[in-house]
Amino acid sequence: MGAVIEVIQGDITVLDVDVIVNAANSSLLGGGGVDGAIHRAAGPLLLEECTKIAAAKPADHACPTGEAVITGAYRLSCKKVIHTVGPVWHGGRYGEAELLASCYRKTLLLAEKSGLKTIAFPNISTGVYGYPKDKAAAIAVETVRSVLKETPKITRVLFVCFDQENLKLYRRLLG
Ligand code: APR
């Protein structure tokens, strides 16, 4: 029985899943959007852990674009947070699609390796980073469907849409 893939609308920080995914930046030191919401809900110990991770890496490459890093979840109801850094949209000729796919792929593989079974994704790169929502949604669904064949322990994937446009796009893609 393969994993269940669902779409919901709402705030990712309140979900009771094993791991929620953060659309972070490469410094891992927080920001606005979903990054800000996750840090606010998790409390200061999340930033403390991210700061330690960042201190051990070359400047501003705590998490390169397309990569994923796992931390505790602190005051959040989930067990872990996986921070991934999506590409900034620059028109589509700079490898953005591959980098966005890499975020979903590496995050799922990291969740599998960490024994996490249920995972919630925000719509990575479609806010501040300006990725066209329709293109991003197609990459997210296609990549997750294909990587789930390699991650048998993952039983449930939630796409958490914050805005109506993303919700409609994901609902259409998932039928
Ligand atoms: N729950 C779920 N989704 C949310 C929430 C929330 N609480 N808050 C915002 N979102 C949605 C946005 O509406 C958007 O659809 O998350 C999606 C991703 O948007 P951003 O958070 O702006 O992330 P991104 O486009 O990947 O840009 C990342 O923004 O916050 C900074 O530090 C972050 O520099 C990084 C950049």
Short mmCIF file of all heavy atoms in Angstrom, two decimals, residues 1 18 35 45 52 72 95 104 128 152:
data_model
loop_
_atom_site.label_atom_id
_atom_site.label_comp_id
_atom_site.label_asym_id
_atom_site.label_seq_id
_atom_site.Cartn_x
_atom_site.Cartn_y
_atom_site.Cartn_z
N MET A 1 0.88 -1.20 0.00
CA MET A 1 0.00 0.00 0.00
C MET A 1 0.91 1.23 0.00
O MET A 1 1.71 1.41 0.89
CB MET A 1 -0.88 -0.08 1.27
CG MET A 1 -1.48 1.23 1.76
SD MET A 1 -2.74 1.82 0.65
CE MET A 1 -3.28 3.29 1.54
N ASP A 18 4.56 13.82 11.86
CA ASP A 18 5.90 13.56 12.41
C ASP A 18 6.86 14.71 12.11
O ASP A 18 7.66 15.10 12.95
CB ASP A 18 6.48 12.26 11.79
CG ASP A 18 5.83 11.02 12.34
OD1 ASP A 18 5.08 11.15 13.33
OD2 ASP A 18 6.03 9.94 11.77
N ASP A 35 8.72 30.39 7.13
CA ASP A 35 9.94 30.32 7.99
C ASP A 35 9.68 31.08 9.29
O ASP A 35 9.93 30.58 10.39
CB ASP A 35 11.09 30.97 7.20
CG ASP A 35 12.47 30.64 7.77
OD1 ASP A 35 12.55 29.89 8.75
OD2 ASP A 35 13.47 31.15 7.23
N LEU A 45 14.41 28.08 20.91
CA LEU A 45 15.37 26.97 20.87
C LEU A 45 15.61 26.45 19.45
O LEU A 45 16.64 25.88 19.13
CB LEU A 45 14.92 25.83 21.78
CG LEU A 45 14.97 26.16 23.29
CD1 LEU A 45 14.44 24.97 24.11
CD2 LEU A 45 16.40 26.51 23.72
N LYS A 52 23.63 26.99 15.75
CA LYS A 52 24.75 26.05 15.96
C LYS A 52 25.11 25.36 14.64
O LYS A 52 26.28 25.24 14.27
CB LYS A 52 24.36 24.99 16.99
CG LYS A 52 24.42 25.50 18.42
CD LYS A 52 24.37 24.34 19.43
CE LYS A 52 24.10 24.87 20.84
NZ LYS A 52 22.73 24.49 21.32
N GLY A 72 15.25 19.70 15.72
CA GLY A 72 14.14 19.44 16.64
C GLY A 72 12.98 20.36 16.31
O GLY A 72 13.08 21.24 15.45
N GLY A 95 18.26 26.56 -13.82
CA GLY A 95 18.20 25.31 -13.04
C GLY A 95 17.20 25.35 -11.91
O GLY A 95 17.22 24.50 -11.03
N TYR A 104 12.24 18.70 -2.61
CA TYR A 104 11.24 17.66 -2.26
C TYR A 104 11.92 16.30 -2.13
O TYR A 104 11.65 15.55 -1.19
CB TYR A 104 10.11 17.65 -3.29
CG TYR A 104 9.21 18.86 -3.17
CD1 TYR A 104 9.40 19.99 -3.96
CD2 TYR A 104 8.19 18.88 -2.22
CE1 TYR A 104 8.60 21.10 -3.81
CE2 TYR A 104 7.38 20.01 -2.07
CZ TYR A 104 7.59 21.11 -2.86
OH TYR A 104 6.80 22.23 -2.70
N VAL A 128 7.95 34.54 -1.24
CA VAL A 128 9.04 35.53 -1.41
C VAL A 128 9.93 35.18 -2.60
O VAL A 128 10.38 36.04 -3.34
CB VAL A 128 9.89 35.57 -0.11
CG1 VAL A 128 11.20 36.30 -0.31
CG2 VAL A 128 9.09 36.20 1.02
N PRO A 152 9.62 3.63 1.39
CA PRO A 152 8.50 2.79 1.82
C PRO A 152 7.99 3.07 3.24
O PRO A 152 6.84 2.78 3.53
CB PRO A 152 9.07 1.37 1.74
CG PRO A 152 10.55 1.52 1.75
CD PRO A 152 10.84 2.83 1.14
#
